[in-house]
Amino acid sequence: MSDRRLRVPARVVRELREALLRDDEQERFAFVDAGTGPASGHGEPDAPADAGGSADAPDLLAGEVVPVPDERLARQSKTACRPEPAVERDHVGDCYDRQLAPMLVHSHPFSDDPRFSSIDVEAMGRFREWLTGLFPDRPFGFAVVGQSGIEAVANAGERFAALPVEVVGEWKLDDPVPGAVDRFAPTDGGERDGATADGAATASNGDAPTADTDTPGGDDGIGERFDRNVRALGTDGQRRLRDATVGVVGVGGIGSQVAEQFARLGVGELVLVDPDTVEPSNLPRLVGAYDHHVGKPKVEAVREHAWRSSPGDIDVTAIAEPVEAVPERLADCDLVVGCVDRVTARSFCNEWAVKHLTYYVDAGVRIDTTDEQVVGMTGYVHLVAPGSTACFDCLGRHDQEAARIERLSPDEREAELERGYIDTEQVSPEPAVIHLNGLCASKTVSVATDVVTGVKTPPDFIRYEDTAHEMTALTTEPSRECPTCGDGGVLGVGQRSFGDAQFTPEDGPETATSD
């Protein structure tokens, strides 16, 4: 894991710049309500064990921006700003009541790449002493915003620790944040420890193949095997793939091919999640599954195939459970891919990604038929960069009726069928063919590879019409009215895990100022 960091969606960066940087060059102030989430995953094994550098220190996830109006500032000039104490007390209290962490943000409009001043540091120290005396275990932080840069720190016991800034969907910014960190940046480490699997969900990893002894390349795990990849993606791109952890939720017709392609690309770790077992009707489309897999978990068949499609040191974790039952297994993933046929599972992945500011790629196909004649074959790939692109609910893709039917018990479903409340087509297996699945899987891996390697800007949404052989890339924007990632939604709220104590002090410290 890397040092604790502040994850900021591109939308939040734009909102801070718009609220705090004006032509009059007066300093301004805003709160950012931040959730806490899993620590981001590439880093130093010997990081100090404190809140700022511990491997398990949670990231802060920037969600809602709350600007303080100029008339509620006790002091404002071109070199200083200070909100009224009551404003600060009320907002910090509300933030903790909602189990969020307050970030106190002011601007240095005179600076491109700002740094905290000595006055800032002194005022921040007074604030820390006051607040930690009341709530010693509550997270909080400070940030200063300039014309392009952002500097941030978080409380770390007796001191403040630097909080590197990661911009989620940074390609959406006209003016990137200099010095922003990248969760996919390659490490200097060598080979991984070796293939692993969740023994409770699958067979032991004793039948995994050994490492490819023909693969040269020293400690970086690239070598001759990935020579053609490197020629297309560069050495840095290949190392980013090697260091990435990708979750694949749903390993059926699309997901099994996605997993294989990631393995062959050299992704270092795969987390496979699917509760289903292999059925005879899956065999024409489930890559890596054969007759002897019928009745066994799909993740077992795909895990074995991924091992045989990749270097022997790939990590493959296989989880034969619904994703809703194991959300913690997504926490280690840098990027999650959903290849599910249930609306509820797809909606869950979307919401989890929005809450934790994690990239999510959703893939699916649809075949429409009339009297056993195909009238339409469609595939789509949807990239959710929370707070930067539209999410699942922004585009109205949540089918409430389908989700309701999925939640019915078998007896309830049968009763509704008999009464005519639902028809047979709503609960019958969907048509599927491997070539449409394969095209969708390849585009899914292409989009994910763009995100991981940074070789080119990923599209927000791809729609493919097979009957016309037309592929269209669309641009999306998150909706402020979206119930999931919009105002009042769950963007960046994380795991909300640090309690619900009420915050009711009568007096606060002198509020932070800046010069």
Side-chain angles (χ1 to χ4, degrees):
M1 298 288 185
S2 68
D3 288 351
R4 185 183 195 180
R5 63 180 60 171
L6 174 66
R7 298 188 200 173
V8 186
R11 184 178 82 188
V12 169
V13 174
R14 288 197 299 266
E15 289 177 0
L16 285 172
R17 288 171 173 172
E18 291 168 1
L20 302 183
L21 303 174
R22 308 278 181 85
D23 292 340
D24 61 9
E25 296 186 344
Q26 297 283 315
E27 287 197 7
R28 288 180 165 83
F29 195 96
F31 296 100
V32 172
D33 297 344
T36 56
S40 37
H42 304 297
E44 302 300 328
D46 298 321
D50 58 38
S54 171
D56 58 1
D59 285 356
L60 294 184
L61 314 173
E64 183 180 3
V65 177
V66 184
V68 176
D70 288 354
E71 58 269 22
R72 299 303 306 272
L73 295 175
R75 179 183 178 187
Q76 183 182 34
S77 70
K78 292 186 177 181
T79 58
C81 67
R82 170 186 172 182
E84 297 173 356
V87 171
E88 186 174 81
R89 287 197 306 269
D90 290 347
H91 191 86
V92 170
D94 176 69
C95 206
Y96 282 149
D97 285 346
R98 292 183 289 135
Q99 301 183 54
L100 299 175
M103 292 289 298
L104 288 75
V105 186
H106 70 281
S107 60
H108 283 183
F110 48 83
S111 174
D112 286 334
D113 196 12
R115 294 291 179 267
F116 291 108
S117 68
S118 58
I119 295 177
D120 293 337
V121 173
E122 182 180 354
M124 287 154 51
R126 292 196 298 270
F127 181 92
R128 181 190 63 221
E129 183 178 356
W130 169 68
L131 191 58
T132 56
L134 292 168
F135 299 101
D137 299 323
R138 298 292 184 265
F140 62 91
F142 290 90
V144 57
V145 175
Q147 293 296 324
S148 57
I150 301 174
E151 183 177 39
V153 296
N155 187 47
E158 298 298 319
R159 63 185 179 86
F160 286 111
L163 201 61
V165 175
E166 175 194 350
V167 181
V168 179
E170 57 83 21
W171 60 86
K172 288 288 188 176
L173 292 175
D174 294 331
D175 188 7
V177 177
V181 298
D182 184 348
R183 76 180 65 186
F184 301 110
T187 68
D188 295 328
E191 298 178 355
R192 292 175 175 264
D193 293 336
T196 62
D198 187 333
T202 66
S204 68
N205 49 352
D207 55 358
T210 58
D212 185 345
T213 55
D214 295 330
T215 303
D219 291 335
D220 66 3
I222 296 178
E224 182 179 355
R225 183 182 193 112
F226 297 111
D227 174 71
R228 301 296 183 93
N229 284 10
V230 171
R231 293 173 188 271
L233 304 173
T235 301
D236 180 77
Q238 190 62 43
R239 287 174 175 160
R240 285 168 173 257
L241 289 168
R242 175 203 64 191
D243 286 357
T245 298
V246 176
V248 182
V249 180
V251 292
I254 298 175
S256 62
Q257 296 188 63
V258 166
E260 179 191 23
Q261 290 188 35
F262 279 136
R264 291 187 182 277
L265 274 171
V267 165
E269 184 170 357
L270 288 174
V271 178
L272 310 178
V273 183
D274 194 314
D276 294 338
T277 57
V278 178
E279 300 177 0
S281 63
N282 301 143
L283 297 178
R285 301 175 315 283
L286 189 59
V287 173
Y290 301 92
D291 288 336
H292 68 273
H293 289 112
V294 172
K296 296 181 180 179
K298 287 181 178 178
V299 288
E300 180 176 336
V302 177
R303 179 207 62 181
E304 292 173 2
H305 188 64
W307 270 330
R308 288 176 169 81
S309 302
S310 64
D313 60 347
I314 188 174
D315 292 347
V316 184
T317 301
I319 305 160
E321 297 199 45
V323 65
E324 299 95 323
V326 289
E328 70 280 0
R329 306 309 291 265
L330 302 182
D332 294 328
C333 299
D334 300 302
L335 179 145
V336 176
V337 177
C339 307
V340 295
D341 55 8
R342 292 187 300 117
V343 175
T344 47
R346 180 173 287 117
S347 183
F348 178 88
C349 290
N350 176 78
E351 182 175 323
W352 194 95
V354 169
K355 284 181 176 179
H356 294 85
L357 302 186
T358 294
Y359 294 103
Y360 173 57
V361 184
D362 185 67
V365 297
R366 175 172 174 169
I367 299 177
D368 295 314
T369 61
T370 301
D371 297 327
E372 298 187 353
Q373 295 294 316
V374 173
V375 295
M377 298 176 67
T378 306
Y380 66 83
V381 180
H382 179 189
L383 170 61
V384 179
S388 300
T389 68
C391 82
F392 185 73
D393 292 317
C394 289
L395 302 183
R397 295 183 55 217
H398 184 75
D399 187 332
Q400 297 283 356
E401 177 60 11
R404 185 191 71 82
I405 293 172
E406 288 174 2
R407 289 192 291 267
L408 295 175
S409 69
D411 289 343
E412 291 171 333
R413 189 172 303 171
E414 185 63 31
E416 292 208 7
L417 279 167
E418 291 178 359
R419 294 169 185 167
Y421 295 153
I422 57 179
D423 59 49
T424 305
E425 290 184 0
Q426 290 177 285
V427 294
S428 298
E430 296 288 339
V433 289
I434 191 169
H435 59 279
L436 183 60
N437 290 342
L439 189 147
C440 186
S442 293
K443 293 309 298 181
T444 299
V445 173
S446 177
V447 170
T449 300
D450 289 345
V451 175
V452 173
T453 65
V455 169
K456 58 183 184 294
T457 300
D460 297 355
F461 196 100
I462 297 174
R463 180 181 177 86
Y464 173 70
E465 295 285 354
D466 188 77
T467 51
H469 297 288
E470 292 180 349
M471 186 170 291
T472 306
L474 305 172
T475 299
T476 69
E477 288 292 336
S479 169
R480 302 309 297 257
E481 288 72 43
C482 175
T484 300
C485 72
D487 296 336
V490 294
L491 181 70
V493 302
Q495 50 198 0
R496 295 181 188 254
S497 61
F498 57 87
D500 59 355
Q502 297 296 307
F503 182 86
T504 55
E506 293 298 325
D507 298 301
E510 181 179 351
T511 306
T513 61
S514 62
D515 69 1

